[in-house]
Amino acid sequence: MQFPESWLRSMTDPALSTADLAHTLTMAGLEVEDLAPVAPPFSGVVVAHVTHLEPHPNADKLRVCTVDTGAAAPLQIVCGAPNVAQGMKVALATVGATLPGDITIGVAKMRGVESAGMLCSARELGLSQDHAGLIDLGVDAPVGQSVRDWLGLDDTLITLKLTPNKADCLSILGVAREVSALTDTPLNRPTWTPVPVTLDERLPVRISAPDLCGRFAGRVIRNVRADAPTPDYIKQRLERAGQRSISALVDISNYVMLEMGRPSHVFDLDKVHGGLDVRWGKPGESLLLLNGQTVELNETVGVVADDQGVESLAGIMGGESTSVSLTTTNIFVEAAFWFPDAIAGRARKFNFSSDASFRFERGVDFEHITEELEYLTRLIVDVCGGDVGPIDEQTVALPERKPVRLRVARCHKVLGVQVPEDEIAAIFTRLGLRFEREEGAFVVTPPSFRFDLEIEEDLIEEIARVYGFERIPDVPPMARAEVRALPENRRSFHALRNRMADLDFQEVVNFSFVEADWEKDYAGNADPIRLLNPIASQLSVMRSSLIGGLVANAQYNLNRKMSRVRVFELGRVFWRDASVQAGDLTVAGVCQPMRLSGLAYGPAVEEQWGAATRQTDFFDVKADVEALLAGASHQPVRFEPASHPALHPGRSARILLDGHAVGWIGELHPQWAHKAELPHAPVVFELDADAVAARPLPELVEISRQPVVTRDLALWVDESVLAQELLDTIAATCAAEPELAVVKDARIFDVWRDKSLSTKEKSLAFRFRLQDTSVTLDDARVEGCLTRIRDALGAAHGARLRV
């Protein structure tokens, strides 16, 4: 919210400098985001009166002006501005004046004619980019006065960054109310004399939706001059508040909204057919808005309609069909209270926002509607004239102002400072909060303009803001320090991040809300959890997988010429789960587990002379997953073929730990790789973070001093037999026969296929490590162990020795 400091000081003028005023507002929760001068520094520019004008003798586009600056003698100025005219009052940079950009004005000759200064445009003074002509200062400008003083250019533009709960400060009056309370200075509200009623005419209005509109007031004004010029002070204040001047009627409506916080709307009465009906929209209805956008309506959007159709979006924006123009002569002005819940999110649904909706969805004062409508009428009549009808007001439902009880002891405990009860009472009085005192408590009734006071903590915050956060002493916490041992059976998530970094992955943090197509493509989720109010239309659902975000990261990096991408994310996903009712980080029906996901794309290693460049494959990432899960169980991690919506069929696997599925790994499905415009399919994995973080306590085993015996065994098996099945048979055989306890390890080190063979077979070579704790193994015992293992594999899988 932007406004000039002078406008604020017209209502309350504390004895504070601009910087101190900004500090006071910021410390009270109204953050001053920026302080900017209305105009850049310049000096020596005064109001001058053009008394005589004649053509330049040597230039067609130049004229010689005689100007009066209030000095003893007039000055001669050569000017090329197209709008210069005799009798005009303009800005004159006198000799010695300094303009923005460190330009110093001196006496100059232009085509042989001397010029003792320069007549200035708005651009030359740094007021705007307009350089089409001179600034017309108006007939009332006093000759010889500094232009900075006449235009109020020493003013400061204040920009506030308001929090959503401070809707009462979306106006000059609201900010002035805060400053008055913070500095204990008087508040001077705008005053006016009600306009006499000269017409006995009312426009019929019916409120058909009491849950949409609680109070509606309006009046007829006839014979207005809509083409009347907007007063300079209104136009200047609007421009400095970031509003563009349009016409007198629109400018006055915007002015009252900025000054009093009261959005209103002006209808062209001659374009209204019959009466007005305040109701919810109907499917099939549409409306052309003032911004040129046509919106399709339904029963969730409030409207104001006449006998022939919808004329405006309630509390959001008016329609083009009843908009006022410079030829308008009869108008109907309305001011209403729209319930915040009935306005919230509707403008964003149509991909735009308005000043009115921004205020109504946060809550606007519902008590002073008629008074502020009188103020609006006063300004319209003073500027545009007209005959005024009576205010027609309807009240059907208003918000209940429930009293809030503040316990003084609770306030002292939360703030950590003993604020006296009399000072609390004074603070409430300065804030305009009605209260009743009880023993050790206050019962406060929130005013009609405060929608943020609902619970006890809200009142404590008000006390802290006005009392002053800087007055609350900095007291270090006095708590017993206790060093707690980390659990031995679990790694922290931070340790998992470190481990992933050790494996050459870089961490990313993505939004938890994603595109609906990602859920369908990467998770096979046709019914994701949808957001009621997404921050962007495409980010409309909660993620149930991290893979989509990592694919987007890869695509982003590849578009910026990064050929090697290795990223991971540790974050929550969101599932529907009717069995979940409560608990840590859960809500009814939603489960939010932690997931660890990674993606590898491009060369397996950085380009170097010591290794040939090759693309990362499934087994590279599988090795990373095995390293990550090392120590998570006493049993080795298992990978079994399975299908996943995001992964390539036949190149994906389910990850098992202690017989439980903990994740997936595989190449990205070719369809999704093509959709993401990736030249190669990346390899991705996703794991249950809690399973990865598990770390069973170590088991003590005897360390043998005997030498290790290594033997290899190569076997032919059918192509359809999985290597893991053979490893499982080896493990089961060794566990069942005590004599095979000396087999400490078995792993595959080679896979070979003879393309000349007609049968579909493959050769798997196993390497065994055997060791006894008491004696050295001899060849006979070793061969006996291998024979038993080979027999077991032959019986279970038809394996035969490769010779």
Side-chain angles (χ1 to χ4, degrees):
M1 176 181 173
Q2 176 182 297
F3 56 87
E5 181 183 358
S6 58
W7 197 357
L8 174 63
R9 289 188 181 272
S10 68
M11 293 192 186
T12 184
D13 191 10
L16 297 175
S17 66
T18 301
D20 290 338
L21 176 61
H23 178 75
T24 300
L25 288 171
T26 299
M27 292 305 298
L30 280 68
E31 180 184 352
V32 176
E33 192 173 31
D34 187 34
L35 293 175
V38 169
F42 62 82
S43 61
V45 183
V46 299
V47 178
H49 182 211
V50 180
T51 59
H52 184 68
L53 197 67
E54 62 183 31
H56 192 288
N58 302 319
D60 294 339
K61 294 185 178 181
L62 298 179
R63 280 173 282 185
V64 180
C65 309
T66 302
V67 299
D68 176 19
T69 62
L75 299 177
Q76 177 177 283
I77 308 294
V78 177
C79 177
N83 67 329
V84 63
Q86 186 171 332
M88 186 179 183
K89 290 187 177 179
V90 295
L92 170 66
T94 58
V95 175
T98 302
L99 300 184
D102 292 331
I103 300 173
T104 302
I105 303 300
V107 178
K109 279 194 175 182
M110 302 182 68
R111 294 289 183 94
V113 178
E114 188 175 272
S115 179
M118 183 178 74
L119 302 184
C120 301
S121 68
R123 183 177 182 179
E124 289 159 342
L125 296 181
L127 303 182
S128 72
Q129 294 301 313
D130 182 13
H131 62 286
L134 303 178
I135 301 177
D136 188 351
L137 299 178
V139 296
D140 296 330
V143 174
Q145 184 178 7
S146 168
V147 169
R148 295 195 72 90
D149 294 339
W150 173 245
L151 296 179
L153 300 182
D154 291 323
D155 203 353
T156 301
L157 298 181
I158 300 175
T159 302
L160 295 183
K161 186 178 181 181
L162 296 174
T163 52
N165 64 315
K166 292 302 291 177
D168 59 300
C169 292
L170 289 170
S171 64
I172 304 300
L173 175 61
V175 178
R177 211 160 33 209
E178 287 288 303
V179 173
S180 174
L182 295 170
T183 61
D184 199 16
T185 53
L187 176 65
N188 303 313
R189 296 175 61 100
T191 58
W192 60 90
T193 303
V195 178
V197 175
T198 56
L199 292 177
D200 187 16
E201 182 179 356
R202 304 170 189 264
L203 181 68
V205 177
R206 179 174 71 254
I207 301 178
S208 300
D211 55 340
L212 168 65
C213 178
R215 188 178 184 187
F216 191 98
R219 75 188 327 170
V220 173
I221 306 178
R222 290 191 174 273
N223 303 318
V224 299
R225 292 179 290 106
D227 58 349
T230 302
D232 290 338
Y233 81 96
I234 292 180
K235 186 183 297 184
Q236 183 187 87
R237 285 179 171 179
L238 286 176
E239 290 174 348
R240 294 182 181 180
Q243 294 274 356
R244 179 173 58 91
S245 177
I246 299 174
S247 66
L249 292 175
V250 176
D251 291 349
I252 290 170
S253 177
N254 289 337
Y255 181 81
V256 172
M257 177 184 67
L258 292 176
E259 186 173 47
M260 309 296 289
R262 170 64 56 197
S264 59
H265 187 60
V266 182
F267 293 86
D268 188 325
L269 185 61
D270 296 329
K271 299 177 182 177
V272 177
H273 305 90
L276 296 180
D277 185 12
V278 180
R279 59 174 174 81
W280 293 105
K282 300 175 182 178
E285 291 182 324
S286 62
L287 175 66
L288 175 61
L289 298 173
L290 290 173
N291 63 1
Q293 179 179 347
T294 300
V295 295
E296 300 297 326
L297 307 176
N298 56 38
E299 63 279 358
T300 66
V301 181
V303 300
V304 178
D306 63 10
D307 293 347
Q308 293 189 6
V310 178
E311 300 298 347
S312 72
L313 285 184
I316 299 176
M317 185 176 289
E320 181 65 30
S321 61
T322 55
S323 63
V324 295
S325 65
L326 296 180
T327 60
T328 297
T329 56
N330 304 308
I331 61 174
F332 177 76
V333 292
E334 64 87 1
F337 170 72
W338 309 97
F339 285 99
D341 290 344
I343 305 300
R346 270 62 173 189
R348 288 189 296 276
K349 180 180 179 181
F350 298 119
N351 295 321
F352 73 91
S353 182
S354 67
D355 291 327
S357 66
F358 190 81
R359 287 164 171 78
F360 280 124
E361 65 187 4
R362 288 162 173 79
V364 174
D365 181 11
F366 56 83
E367 184 176 335
H368 300 93
I369 292 179
T370 55
E371 294 92 325
E372 289 161 3
L373 186 57
E374 285 282 9
Y375 181 42
L376 177 65
T377 306
R378 176 82 269 172
L379 292 176
I380 290 176
V381 172
D382 287 348
V383 175
C384 303
D387 301 317
V388 180
I391 292 179
D392 184 16
E393 179 194 0
Q394 298 183 55
T395 301
V396 294
L398 293 178
E400 181 183 359
R401 311 310 290 165
K402 295 181 179 180
V404 182
R405 191 170 186 271
L406 170 73
R407 296 164 292 174
V408 176
R410 172 66 176 168
C411 175
H412 293 167
K413 182 177 181 180
V414 172
L415 297 183
V417 62
Q418 302 290 320
V419 182
E421 288 193 30
D422 290 342
E423 186 165 359
I424 293 176
I427 288 172
F428 288 157
T429 301
R430 286 156 58 183
L431 288 171
L433 306 181
R434 292 178 297 167
F435 64 89
E436 295 180 3
R437 297 184 68 163
E438 298 179 352
E439 184 66 28
F442 289 83
V443 179
V444 178
T445 301
S448 58
F449 54 85
R450 294 296 298 269
F451 284 78
D452 59 324
L453 302 180
E454 297 180 343
I455 58 176
E456 186 177 33
E457 284 72 13
D458 295 332
L459 296 179
I460 296 174
E461 180 186 6
E462 294 300 298
I463 295 170
R465 290 193 315 110
V466 181
Y467 180 80
F469 290 108
E470 293 171 313
R471 293 175 61 189
I472 299 176
D474 296 330
V475 180
M478 302 297 293
R480 293 179 60 87
E482 181 179 354
V483 179
R484 296 185 177 182
L486 295 175
E488 292 185 72
N489 63 347
R490 183 179 176 83
R491 290 182 289 182
S492 68
F493 288 151
H494 188 66
L496 295 183
R497 292 186 174 97
N498 285 338
R499 185 62 181 132
M500 290 299 297
D502 292 341
L503 294 170
D504 197 23
F505 286 84
Q506 292 182 315
E507 185 176 12
V508 297
V509 179
N510 293 313
F511 282 134
S512 294
F513 21 88
V514 299
E515 299 179 24
D517 285 347
W518 289 8
E519 281 298 290
K520 181 176 62 176
D521 296 346
Y522 301 122
N525 187 2
D527 186 25
I529 300 171
R530 297 192 174 275
L531 297 170
L532 295 177
N533 187 23
I535 63 170
S537 58
Q538 70 274 19
L539 305 179
S540 59
V541 301
M542 301 301 292
R543 65 186 181 186
S544 62
S545 171
L546 305 181
I547 294 176
L550 297 183
V551 173
N553 297 144
Q555 184 182 26
Y556 181 90
N557 280 273
L558 287 174
N559 289 340
R560 284 151 184 80
K561 308 304 181 183
M562 295 293 293
S563 61
R564 185 172 185 267
V565 180
R566 291 173 65 86
V567 292
F568 80 94
E569 181 175 11
L570 179 64
R572 294 193 179 278
V573 297
F574 304 85
W575 297 343
R576 296 186 186 277
D577 188 350
S579 65
V580 176
Q581 296 299 325
D584 183 33
L585 291 175
T586 60
V587 294
V590 178
C591 181
Q592 307 177 45
M594 290 291 289
R595 289 288 181 265
L596 176 61
S597 187
L599 176 145
Y601 178 91
V605 295
E606 292 282 2
E607 186 175 1
Q608 56 167 295
W609 60 268
T613 300
R614 65 174 182 83
Q615 292 294 316
T616 299
D617 61 21
F618 175 93
F619 298 100
D620 293 318
V621 180
K622 178 174 177 286
D624 292 331
V625 172
E626 289 176 329
L628 179 65
L629 292 174
S633 171
H634 292 307
Q635 302 297 323
V637 60
R638 292 169 53 87
F639 298 84
E640 63 177 26
S643 297
H644 187 277
L647 304 180
H648 191 307
R651 299 183 186 179
S652 61
R654 181 184 290 110
I655 304 172
L656 303 175
L657 200 64
D658 291 333
H660 301 289
V662 297
W664 294 86
I665 183 174
E667 285 187 9
L668 188 67
H669 197 290
Q671 181 179 354
W672 313 140
H674 176 74
K675 187 175 182 179
E677 299 180 349
L678 301 177
H680 308 286
V683 182
V684 297
F685 69 87
E686 186 166 80
L687 298 166
D688 181 353
D690 290 320
V692 180
R695 185 173 62 181
L697 295 177
E699 296 179 355
L700 298 178
V701 295
E702 183 180 359
I703 299 177
S704 176
R705 296 185 178 183
Q706 306 303 320
V708 175
V709 177
T710 303
R711 291 288 188 272
D712 295 341
L713 182 61
L715 301 171
W716 286 106
V717 294
D718 190 84
E719 183 69 38
S720 62
V721 177
L722 301 179
Q724 186 64 55
E725 295 176 357
L726 275 70
L727 292 173
D728 292 342
T729 300
I730 294 172
T733 302
C734 294
E737 300 186 27
E739 295 84 355
L740 299 182
V742 295
V743 179
K744 302 300 182 184
D745 183 46
R747 63 184 61 189
I748 295 175
F749 71 89
D750 183 53
V751 180
W752 181 74
R753 293 174 176 84
D754 188 348
K755 297 181 180 179
S756 64
L757 297 178
S758 59
T759 57
K760 293 184 178 181
E761 288 186 317
K762 59 186 175 183
S763 171
L764 301 179
F766 296 87
R767 178 159 292 163
F768 296 89
R769 293 173 61 254
L770 301 90
Q771 186 181 37
D772 199 324
T773 58
S774 57
V775 298
T776 300
L777 296 176
D778 55 27
D779 290 342
R781 190 175 176 187
V782 170
E783 291 300 329
C785 292
L786 294 182
T787 299
R788 292 187 182 185
I789 292 173
R790 185 179 61 200
D791 293 342
L793 293 175
H797 307 289
R800 69 181 192 278
L801 187 65
R802 174 183 166 190
V803 293

